[in-house]
Amino acid sequence: AEFKDNKWLSYLTVEKPDSEVTDEEVDAKLENERKNLAELVVKEGAAENGDTVVIDFVGSVDGVEFDGGKGENHSLELGSGQFIPGFEDQLVGAKSGDEVEVKVTFPEDYQATDLAGKAVFVTKVNEVKAKEVPALDDELAKDLDDEVDTLDELKAKYRKELEAAKEIAFDDAVEGAALDLAVENAEIVELPAEMVENEVHRAMNEFMGNLQRQGISPEMYF
């Protein structure tokens, strides 16, 4: 604290986090953007977790088909959790042309309460597709950003973007920490009645002004 301009000023100190961007963070951003360019390509062989199977299926309970239990040429990514628990696991290892009887138990909280219990889905695998990501090279860099010519240029650009984002995030964090610290150290004082009265008048004037702009006079409102 210091005495300045005829009053005591108190200072609070908070630590600002390090905003340095690591090579690992740059590589992670690049890999994420690279995966976004992945394409599904038909593959030979068994389906694995992460692969997408294109399936026809018909579901039944006790041999009776139920509404909403049928689909054709549905693309399902194995491991995504899109279908009932246990369904996708039983398609791991299936190949194009296989027919699999997928047996599942509907959860108690399933959206269709009349489907409680065990069900069988006769499932035909039409295709198995795997994600194919582009090579990590200068061509990828150009595809991701038409303002760069090489992978190194793209990495440098990503580093600047990450640094800028960190600076903003850390500035916000510092401001929040400073406010928290100020509140912890604040002393509650009684507000002058004149200050409260002025705020009431300001709020009332603003409110009545809004009404008048809508064509409502004070007399009409009251």
Side-chain angles (χ1 to χ4, degrees):
E2 67 171 329
F3 190 75
K4 186 177 181 182
D5 297 332
N6 295 320
K7 57 185 175 183
W8 281 99
L9 300 177
S10 297
Y11 299 94
L12 301 175
T13 302
V14 294
E15 255 186 62
K16 184 175 181 179
D18 183 12
S19 60
E20 182 182 356
V21 173
T22 65
D23 292 341
E24 290 74 17
E25 288 173 310
V26 174
D27 290 341
K29 177 175 174 61
L30 179 59
E31 185 62 20
N32 185 59
E33 297 296 331
R34 178 181 174 225
K35 286 180 179 178
N36 287 337
L37 293 183
E39 296 181 350
L40 288 175
V41 178
V42 175
K43 65 176 276 189
E44 300 294 334
E48 304 173 49
N49 260 324
D51 287 348
T52 293
V53 291
V54 181
I55 57 174
D56 299 336
F57 58 89
V58 178
S60 60
V61 175
D62 296 329
V64 180
E65 294 181 20
F66 54 88
D67 291 339
K70 181 184 294 185
E72 292 184 354
N73 287 320
H74 183 89
S75 292
L76 173 64
E77 181 180 340
L78 302 183
S80 65
Q82 181 183 345
F83 273 23
I84 301 166
F87 189 105
E88 296 165 24
D89 295 341
Q90 295 175 59
L91 293 177
V92 173
K95 300 177 182 179
S96 176
D98 286 355
E99 187 171 280
V100 182
E101 279 197 358
V102 177
K103 299 177 182 179
V104 298
T105 301
F106 288 105
E108 292 182 3
D109 59 350
Y110 189 66
Q111 56 188 355
T113 55
D114 58 332
L115 293 179
K118 296 182 179 179
V120 175
F121 288 85
V122 177
T123 305
K124 171 72 179 300
V125 179
N126 298 322
E127 285 182 324
V128 178
K129 298 180 179 180
K131 288 181 180 177
E132 189 174 273
V133 295
L136 196 61
D137 54 21
D138 292 342
E139 288 305 313
L140 170 66
K142 293 175 185 178
D143 289 339
L144 289 173
D145 192 323
D146 56 12
E147 294 182 355
V148 303
D149 293 317
T150 67
L151 192 60
D152 287 340
E153 288 179 9
L154 183 61
K155 286 184 176 183
K157 186 171 182 178
Y158 280 173
R159 185 180 297 276
K160 288 182 179 179
E161 291 175 356
L162 290 169
E163 287 173 348
K166 270 193 176 184
E167 282 292 336
I168 293 173
F170 289 166
D171 285 346
D172 289 344
V174 168
E175 183 177 339
L179 286 173
D180 291 341
L181 192 58
V183 170
E184 290 174 8
N185 289 273
E187 294 182 8
I188 306 301
V189 296
E190 185 176 349
L191 293 174
E194 184 179 356
M195 182 182 294
V196 175
E197 187 174 345
N198 287 340
E199 177 59 20
V200 170
H201 284 304
R202 185 204 62 76
M204 283 295 296
N205 288 335
E206 181 180 341
F207 179 70
M208 298 310 297
N210 289 335
L211 287 178
Q212 288 180 329
R213 281 189 287 274
Q214 299 174 48
I216 303 173
S217 67
E219 291 77 16
M220 291 171 62
Y221 175 75
F222 287 122

